[in-house]
Amino acid sequence: MIPIAQPVIDQAAVNAISAVLSSGKLAQGEQVKSFEGMFASYCGTKYAVATSNGTNALQLALLASEIEPGDEVITTPFSFVASANSILYCQAKPIFADIDPLTFNIDPKNVERLIGPRTRAILGVHLYGQPFDVNEILSLCSKHNLAFIEDACQAHGAEYHGQRVGSFGIGCFSFYPTKNMTTGEGGMMTTNDTRIAEKASVLRNHGQRERYKHEMLGYNFRMTDIAAAIGITQLARLDEFNAKRIQNANYLSQAIRRINGLISPFVANGIKHVFHQYTIRVTSDYPISRDALKERLQEKGVSSAVHYPIPIHKQPMYERLGYSVTLPEAEKAASQVLSLPIHPSLTQSDLDTIIEALIYE
Ligand SMILES: *Cc1c(COP(=O)(O)O)cnc(C)c1O
């Protein structure tokens, strides 16, 4: 079976873990500090604050931006649920702007009319590894004095007009094993703003700047030195991993463009898409349904996945909160998308197996 995701853990990672274990210093320490420095410099930001996962990084970004109960944060309905849940954790209200059908990302055209007196931030998601329209969102943020948060949990190393994501607003990354780089569990918040970085690092560690002096209600969002040591080895190979993902994507797209009823991923101009997911649309012109194709791929030894079958505003939990909006593009995408394996360990023969399984006869 060709898996949908496969972390690449090398001997350098094993050695790094082993060295941390032998040192006896396991919690947030020197390894975390080094990893933060390297990650900030990779993204081109002044600061990076390591966290225990990407969800924490998002919550930290919102808390550091002083998002308070009752505030509104505009975001996308088409993402992993953590993007919007991080807003709920602050007792703030996610407001959903429908997506651009080409990129699956938040469409700036739908954002401005949602900005009201309680709006405090825009939280965009660089979905599948493709940056959203940063310039448009940034100009709305400056015009309306809103915080700008980039959920880059799927977009490590992606670029918008030559600049890496996570460096435009407050960047939030995840190092879950399926992501473009991993630490097992882990996350990172990036920023150029000294005040945000400082507040986030205090909040991450139970609100203490000095040991046992708690200045605010903080959290334990710390990363372990074990995770950071893995992260350092993964960051060193991120560009190589991403290059392989892009190469795999180009190969698949070349074949998929010739298959009637399937739509290969669109890549916007000036964008470096790092293909966390390689997600196609299965339209009604294809001989069988999306779900039937998924079954068929499984039978032919190819795992696939639907990211995401239910848009966030349609999740049972959100419906219970009273969300009843209709967001046609997000809902249509949820019914058509299918992600195929794209990870760096795929062989030439895996890629050909995937293509053959898509050709229906
Ligand atoms: C993975 C992911 C998260 C959450 O990251 P965790 O490390 O799993 O907490 C948030 N947003 C998006 C878009 C993600 O893909």
Side-chain angles (χ1 to χ4, degrees):
M1 183 62 71
I2 303 172
I4 181 81
Q6 172 97 73
V8 181
I9 301 297
D10 56 21
Q11 191 58 41
V14 175
N15 296 345
I17 296 165
S18 172
V20 172
L21 292 177
S22 309
S23 79
K25 295 188 176 122
L26 309 184
Q28 181 182 296
E30 284 309 310
Q31 295 293 319
V32 168
K33 212 170 169 181
S34 307
F35 184 35
E36 288 174 336
M38 291 173 195
F39 201 82
S41 110
Y42 181 84
C43 292
T45 58
K46 281 200 210 140
Y47 309 100
V49 178
T51 58
S52 29
N53 56 58
T55 309
N56 289 167
L58 286 163
Q59 191 182 344
L60 212 49
L62 290 161
L63 290 168
S65 305
E66 269 143 50
I67 302 304
E68 291 178 349
D71 287 348
E72 293 180 358
V73 178
I74 299 173
T75 190
T76 172
F78 197 56
S79 180
F80 181 56
V81 75
S83 307
N85 280 0
S86 65
I87 301 165
L88 293 180
Y89 299 149
C90 302
Q91 295 169 62
K93 188 174 185 209
I95 302 289
F96 297 109
D98 206 0
I99 59 168
D100 173 345
L102 283 177
T103 62
F104 302 105
N105 276 325
I106 192 166
D107 189 339
K109 283 202 303 294
N110 300 325
V111 172
E112 189 154 28
R113 63 189 168 78
L114 298 174
I115 299 174
R118 305 242 39 187
T119 311
R120 294 288 176 270
I122 301 177
L123 191 163
V125 180
H126 303 301
L127 197 72
Y128 304 147
Q130 165 147 256
F132 57 80
D133 193 341
V134 171
N135 274 351
E136 289 296 318
I137 298 290
L138 250 178
S139 73
L140 287 173
C141 287
S142 8
K143 184 170 162 198
H144 298 273
N145 193 27
L146 307 174
F148 178 37
I149 295 159
E150 297 174 65
D151 180 339
C153 286
Q154 305 189 349
H156 323 62
E159 293 173 15
Y160 180 83
H161 296 284
Q163 185 179 334
R164 289 204 169 117
V165 301
S167 63
F168 296 93
I170 308 177
C172 301
F173 294 84
S174 164
F175 304 123
Y176 187 73
T178 57
K179 311 286 166 144
N180 294 36
M181 60 175 281
T182 186
T183 62
E185 295 274 8
M188 193 76 83
M189 196 203 84
T190 53
T191 181
N192 282 316
D193 184 323
T194 311
R195 208 175 37 83
I196 297 279
E198 150 93 345
K199 180 140 194 220
S201 59
V202 175
L203 282 168
R204 163 183 66 175
N205 193 18
H206 276 302
Q208 53 188 341
R209 232 176 291 258
E210 270 173 58
R211 185 166 272 202
Y212 303 133
K213 185 174 167 200
H214 304 278
E215 300 170 27
M216 56 184 97
L217 178 65
Y219 302 84
N220 175 358
F221 286 169
R222 296 181 302 262
M223 177 182 273
T224 68
D225 260 17
I226 305 166
I230 304 170
I232 291 168
T233 67
Q234 289 273 303
L235 182 60
R237 297 188 62 186
L238 176 60
D239 286 343
E240 170 206 336
F241 293 158
N242 282 344
K244 194 76 205 312
R245 284 176 183 272
I246 292 165
Q247 191 188 322
N248 291 344
N250 288 340
Y251 189 80
L252 289 181
S253 288
Q254 224 172 11
I256 290 171
R257 275 195 284 269
R258 290 196 290 266
I259 303 176
N260 198 32
L262 299 183
I263 301 176
S264 61
F266 169 84
V267 181
N269 268 339
I271 292 302
K272 181 174 180 183
H273 184 329
V274 293
F275 291 97
H276 167 60
Q277 299 296 352
Y278 180 88
T279 305
I280 62 171
R281 276 187 199 258
V282 184
T283 71
S284 55
D285 292 336
Y286 194 70
I288 54 175
S289 73
R290 187 264 314 269
D291 294 344
L293 174 57
K294 187 170 183 300
E295 285 286 307
R296 180 183 145 89
L297 289 169
Q298 186 73 19
E299 281 158 21
K300 294 185 175 276
V302 178
S303 306
S304 61
V306 175
H307 302 107
Y308 296 90
I310 308 173
I312 300 174
H313 65 291
K314 289 282 190 188
Q315 292 290 345
M317 184 200 69
Y318 280 80
E319 290 196 321
R320 277 202 303 280
L321 289 174
Y323 284 86
S324 61
V325 279
T326 300
L327 299 163
E329 291 301 345
E331 289 162 33
K332 185 175 177 193
S335 73
Q336 290 187 328
V337 291
L338 187 64
S339 304
L340 304 172
I342 200 68
H343 57 80
S345 307
L346 293 176
T347 63
Q348 185 59 45
S349 115
D350 290 336
L351 292 166
D352 290 327
T353 303
I354 296 165
I355 292 165
E356 274 159 37
L358 292 169
I359 299 169
Y360 193 86
E361 57 219 340

